[in-house]
Amino acid sequence: MHHTVDNLRLNCEVLGPESAAPILFIHGFPLSGAMWEPVADFLQADHRLIIPDLRGFGASEAGDSVSMLRYVHDCFALLDAIGEDRPVAVAGMSMGGYIAFEFFRRFRRRTASLILIDTRAAADTEESRKARLATAEKVLAHGSAVVADAMVDKLFSPHAPPGLKARWHGLMLSADARGVAAALKAMADRPDSTPDLPRIDVPTLIIVGEQDIVTPPGDSQAMHAAIPGSVLETIPAAGHMAAVEQPRRVADALRRFLGAP
Ligand code: MLT
């Protein structure tokens, strides 16, 4: 369903019973809310799932520029638009995790818990920052294929069926080039969340695909060591897209963490 936020039409799917505790699922780059469909199949009977397409992805319009904070405000405006005023479990995958950290910093009292999936706390190095900005220019000149072609083989473990890769290659190709370039610039400028880790005082679950080569398990182990009381779940036979490759295992990890609905 679409809502107008900051003069843009943003799409947000809402699934599951209204009375159940809400989970906000924030997708990675250059993906869309569709990445949560397999996990949602296992959770929607008894959880409230709020699944936006970030601006410039999926069925949401792109703006000219964005930041992690702007994405947070978009998510917050969508929560308002759907009448959700309770604290939410904030689940973010990769770039969605960078946004989840920002959500926690800005809206601590609305953050019931954090679920950090295939992500990292550190900011870009100067070298990767420059590479991102160069990629953003290439995307504006040549389209989203620049990123889709470079990323498709990095998203999945060797166990993933070719059909899954082909589907996600197609979805990444269809991402709006303006939205992709804006997200690259926003990630290049994102703050380092490492100093915040010891201050995280909400229940935190960290999930990582055992064969994630984009945000490898070492990044998750470091977050686990630094976030007091956090829980780490490593998902076998899964890469960066653990939620898509092993949705049942990821849903089970979420259930163990969230407890009975
Ligand atoms: C993602 O999966 O969201 C991105 O690969 C994250 C990144 O490039 O840092």
Side-chain angles (χ1 to χ4, degrees), residues 28-29 93-95 98 120 132 151 187 214 240:
F29 167 90
M93 180 260 173
S94 203
M95 181 176 83
Y98 312 157
R120 62 160 80 83
R132 275 211 216 265
M151 282 193 76
M187 285 195 285
V214 179
H240 192 51

Side-chain angles (χ1 to χ4, degrees), residues 111-180:
T111 311
S113 58
L114 278 176
I115 302 163
L116 304 168
I117 306 176
D118 292 292
T119 190
R120 62 160 80 83
D124 281 5
T125 61
E126 197 43 41
E127 195 187 343
S128 47
R129 196 174 169 275
K130 280 191 188 136
R132 275 211 216 265
L133 297 176
T135 306
E137 294 310 314
K138 282 190 202 143
V139 167
L140 287 174
H142 305 292
S144 298
V146 170
V147 163
D149 295 351
M151 282 193 76
V152 66
D153 284 328
K154 298 186 188 154
L155 292 180
F156 297 98
S157 80
H159 309 280
L164 204 56
K165 275 193 192 178
R167 170 160 193 253
W168 278 98
H169 188 227
L171 285 171
M172 291 191 291
L173 283 174
S174 68
D176 184 303
R178 262 193 332 145
V180 170

Side-chain angles (χ1 to χ4, degrees), residues 37-261:
E37 281 166 14
V39 164
D41 283 346
F42 292 105
L43 295 177
Q44 64 180 295
D46 48 12
H47 291 81
R48 181 80 163 160
L49 313 179
I50 301 161
I51 309 180
D53 286 332
L54 296 170
R55 56 169 69 201
F57 297 99
S60 289
E61 281 178 344
D64 286 326
S65 71
V66 72
S67 62
M68 295 303 126
L69 184 56
R70 184 68 257 170
Y71 285 133
V72 166
H73 282 299
D74 287 349
C75 291
F76 208 80
L78 288 169
L79 292 176
D80 272 352
I82 62 168
E84 182 56 75
D85 58 7
R86 297 170 290 177
V88 292
V90 183
M93 180 260 173
S94 203
M95 181 176 83
Y98 312 157
I99 299 168
F101 283 126
E102 193 67 39
F103 192 103
F104 173 78
R105 280 192 288 269
R106 304 289 166 159
F107 297 110
R108 158 70 186 82
R109 276 183 298 167
R110 291 291 297 276
T111 311
S113 58
L114 278 176
I115 302 163
L116 304 168
I117 306 176
D118 292 292
T119 190
R120 62 160 80 83
D124 281 5
T125 61
E126 197 43 41
E127 195 187 343
S128 47
R129 196 174 169 275
K130 280 191 188 136
R132 275 211 216 265
L133 297 176
T135 306
E137 294 310 314
K138 282 190 202 143
V139 167
L140 287 174
H142 305 292
S144 298
V146 170
V147 163
D149 295 351
M151 282 193 76
V152 66
D153 284 328
K154 298 186 188 154
L155 292 180
F156 297 98
S157 80
H159 309 280
L164 204 56
K165 275 193 192 178
R167 170 160 193 253
W168 278 98
H169 188 227
L171 285 171
M172 291 191 291
L173 283 174
S174 68
D176 184 303
R178 262 193 332 145
V180 170
L184 284 163
K185 291 180 188 163
M187 285 195 285
D189 288 340
R190 76 185 188 278
D192 182 6
S193 296
T194 313
D196 297 312
L197 300 181
R199 293 194 282 267
I200 293 179
D201 58 355
V202 295
T204 301
L205 170 65
I206 301 160
I207 295 178
V208 65
E210 196 170 37
Q211 286 152 294
D212 184 346
I213 56 168
V214 179
T215 49
D219 291 341
S220 285
Q221 286 151 11
M223 291 192 291
H224 175 48
I227 302 175
S230 60
V231 175
L232 173 64
E233 296 257 11
T234 303
I235 306 294
H240 192 51
M241 293 275 267
V244 174
E245 249 187 293
Q246 297 293 346
R248 179 188 288 277
R249 286 178 170 154
V250 169
D252 286 348
L254 285 164
R255 278 184 187 286
R256 277 193 290 279
F257 172 70
L258 294 167

